Amino acid sequence: MNAVVALALTCLLGIPVGIGAFTFVYAKGFSYLSTDPRACVNCHVMNQQYDAWLKSGHRHTAICVECHLPTRGLAKWVAKADHGFRHSVAFTLQNFKEPIEITPRDRQIVRTNCLRCHADLVHAVAVTPAREELDCLHCHAGAGHGAGG
């Protein structure tokens, strides 16, 4: 292989890998592999939610991933990867809503986790007489992110 081809291949591979590595480190990429709630404020748009969580009663018993991700197995890692990809694209392209909104799929994850933790309290009302599942967030939208939650 001649030197020109080797240099071209090095540039074609090295430049994207270098930019990717720099971006990962600059964006504090390793923090997203942890369960530390401070990772949520790597993006300024989450400051309000993080500050509200700090004032909530939930901060003593639950961190972000316990409410916003499935609890175990492959579903947890798929959701974490999905969140990471969607959030990184949205923040890189600056195409997110302010204030931020939870997606219907993510809302269902939170609802499932509400019922898991509060099963003893809500077992009598978890299903309405019409057999429709209640949406905890309908009445408790601020739970986990506010002084009352």
Side-chain angles (χ1 to χ4, degrees):
M1 184 168 14
N2 76 32
V4 174
V5 172
L7 179 63
L9 285 175
T10 301
C11 289
L12 285 174
L13 293 174
I15 291 172
V17 168
I19 290 172
F22 171 80
T23 302
F24 186 80
V25 170
Y26 179 78
K28 303 174 188 166
F30 286 112
S31 69
Y32 296 104
L33 301 175
S34 76
T35 59
D36 186 346
R38 289 175 294 186
C40 297
V41 293
N42 285 347
C43 299
H44 72 90
V45 74
M46 293 299 295
N47 285 337
Q48 181 180 353
Q49 285 71 23
Y50 179 76
D51 291 342
W53 171 78
L54 285 174
K55 296 172 188 159
S56 78
H58 277 85
R59 82 174 182 283
H60 299 295
T61 58
I63 56 175
C64 307
V65 297
E66 292 173 308
C67 295
H68 291 279
L69 289 177
T71 57
R72 63 176 66 98
L74 185 59
K76 178 178 182 174
W77 294 103
V78 168
K80 193 167 179 103
D82 175 54
H83 289 177
F85 178 76
R86 284 187 295 118
H87 295 169
S88 64
V89 168
F91 296 129
T92 299
L93 300 177
Q94 294 292 297
N95 66 350
F96 54 88
K97 294 180 180 181
E98 286 195 66
I100 61 170
E101 294 179 3
I102 193 167
T103 66
R105 180 177 55 209
D106 294 339
R107 186 181 184 98
Q108 182 58 39
I109 291 171
V110 171
R111 183 189 174 281
T112 298
N113 287 326
C114 291
L115 293 174
R116 178 181 49 80
C117 286
H118 298 288
D120 292 342
L121 296 171
V122 299
H123 71 279
V125 295
V127 178
T128 66
R131 297 290 183 224
E132 295 176 19
E133 290 185 329
L134 292 178
D135 182 359
C136 305
L137 298 176
H138 179 75
C139 297
H140 302 280
H145 292 285

